[in-house]
Amino acid sequence: MANSPAPSADHLGQKLYEGKAKIIYATDNPEVLITYFKDDATAFNAQKRGQILNKGVINCKITAYLYALLEKQGIATHLLETTSEREQRIKRVQIVPLEVVVRNLAAGSLCKQTGIALGTKLEPSLVEFYYKNDDLGDPLLTRDRIFAMGLTSPERLTELTQKAEAINHILSQFFTRCGITLVDFKLEFGTDSAGTLLLADEISPDTCRLWDTSQPDERQRVMDKDRFRQDLGNVAAGYQAVLERIAAQLENPA
Ligand code: TMP
Ligand code: ASP
C-alpha cells in the first residue's frame, strides 16, 4: 500500500521523532515543533500494521476541531495552528510518560482483564494510567507504582486526573450532540518550558472508542480504530463519518 504523501518539506526542519502515527519535526523556533499525521495504523503494540486511506488528514482535522473546542472551555493544549492538511504547529513540551485513559463504558482491555461485560456503564467513569513504554507493552500502573518509578508527583497526578475528568465532561457532551457515544479515550500531556501542563498528542478515532449511538448492531456501531483492530472493514469510512458529524455539529450547533 502507498505511504502517506510526503510532508511539505519547504518549511520543515530536522525530523526529531517518528512514531507509529505521527512524525515530529523541528522548526527554527526551539519552542515550536511541527507534527505530521501519517496514514499508518498499528495495533497490539505494532504487531498488526496497515494503512487507513487519508487517516492522517482526517485525524489532523478532528484533533484541530476538538482541541479548539477544549481550548474554548479552558483546557490548555499544545496546538498552535493547523498549517496544512496533515500538519500542525505545536508547542514543544516534555511529555509525561503516562497514557491517561478515561472509560465511560467498558470495552477493550478493561473487558479482557476484568470480565466486565462490553458496554457496561462505569459510574463514576474510570481514569487509569498506563506507562508509555512500547518495550514493556504500555502496562497499567497503580498510584504507588507511578510514585515508586518517579514518573510524576502526587500533585501532578491529581492535576492529570482532574484535567482528564474535565476533558471527558466536555467531550462526552459534545459527542452526544453528534449522535456518538464516547466509550473511552486516551490522552497524553506534557509540560512547556514554564512547567505548565498542556494537553498534547491528538484526540481522534485512533485514540478514542466512538460508537454510533443510534446503531444497535455491535459491529456496525463502531466508528473508530476498533474497525482496524478487529478487521470490521470500512475503516476509513468510520473515521470520515466521525469527522463529518463533528464538522456538522460545530457548523450548526443543535
Ligand atoms: P484499551 O481498552 O485497549 O486499553 O484502550 C483504551 C483506550 O485507549 C481506547 O480508546 C484506545 C486508546 N488507546 C490508544 O490511544 N493507544 C493505545 O496504544 C492503546 C492500547 C489504547
Ligand atoms: N497504537 C497502539 C499500537 O500499535 C495500540 C492500539 O491502538 O491498539 O501499538
Side-chain angles (χ1 to χ4, degrees), residues 13-57:
Q14 187 199 350
K15 188 196 274 194
L16 297 180
Y17 169 80
E18 178 155 5
K20 288 177 274 199
K22 291 191 293 301
I23 308 173
I24 304 285
Y25 294 92
T27 69
D28 43 20
N29 180 344
E31 301 282 328
V32 175
L33 304 175
I34 300 265
T35 181
Y36 174 89
F37 288 74
K38 302 193 285 183
D39 287 348
D40 298 347
T42 65
F44 314 118
N45 206 9
Q47 288 177 64
K48 181 183 170 90
R49 288 174 182 274
Q51 290 230 321
I52 300 170
L53 188 67
N54 229 24
K55 173 173 84 79
V57 173

Side-chain angles (χ1 to χ4, degrees), residues 44-242:
F44 314 118
N45 206 9
Q47 288 177 64
K48 181 183 170 90
R49 288 174 182 274
Q51 290 230 321
I52 300 170
L53 188 67
N54 229 24
K55 173 173 84 79
V57 173
I58 297 171
N59 284 357
C60 183
K61 281 201 183 114
I62 291 176
T63 297
Y65 279 137
L66 296 179
Y67 279 32
L69 178 82
L70 290 167
E71 287 271 3
K72 244 193 216 166
Q73 305 208 38
I75 304 290
T77 79
H78 74 161
L79 179 58
L80 295 168
E81 186 189 5
T82 300
T83 49
S84 81
E85 275 196 324
R86 291 176 183 270
E87 289 157 15
Q88 295 177 342
R89 290 177 65 240
I90 57 171
K91 283 186 205 157
R92 182 195 282 266
V93 294
Q94 184 153 13
I95 289 288
V96 179
L98 294 171
E99 300 201 343
V100 184
V101 170
V102 182
R103 300 181 188 273
N104 297 312
L105 300 182
S109 67
L110 179 69
C111 296
K112 220 176 273 166
Q113 291 171 7
T114 64
I116 299 175
L118 177 69
T120 303
K121 195 164 169 49
L122 301 163
E123 281 192 294
S125 301
L126 308 188
V127 178
E128 300 176 330
F129 297 92
Y130 292 79
Y131 185 29
K132 193 172 152 57
N133 183 319
D134 284 341
D135 293 341
L136 296 175
D138 297 342
L140 176 63
L141 297 175
T142 62
R143 275 180 75 81
D144 289 346
R145 286 185 187 188
I146 290 170
F147 303 141
M149 293 163 76
L151 296 180
T152 197
S153 64
E155 296 73 30
R156 256 288 121 92
L157 198 65
T158 301
E159 193 182 355
L160 287 166
T161 305
Q162 287 171 347
K163 287 221 164 160
E165 285 169 349
I167 292 166
N168 185 38
H169 185 70
I170 296 164
L171 292 185
S172 291
Q173 286 192 343
F174 176 72
F175 276 116
T176 296
R177 294 201 298 276
C178 298
I180 293 173
T181 304
L182 179 58
V183 175
D184 60 27
F185 58 98
K186 184 264 301 177
L187 303 170
E188 292 186 30
F189 293 87
T191 46
D192 67 11
S193 53
T196 304
L197 192 68
L198 303 179
L199 177 63
D201 197 53
E202 67 179 285
I203 301 182
S204 72
D206 270 11
T207 65
C208 301
R209 286 197 173 89
L210 301 165
W211 292 351
D212 184 345
T213 310
S214 64
Q215 172 56 259
D217 184 89
E218 257 186 34
R219 293 164 65 91
Q220 288 187 40
R221 70 185 176 191
V222 175
M223 304 177 81
D224 57 74
K225 193 172 165 189
D226 272 351
R227 299 207 73 80
F228 170 76
R229 295 189 189 96
Q230 299 172 20
D231 294 319
L232 299 178
N234 299 320
V235 183
Y239 281 56
Q240 180 66 31
V242 171

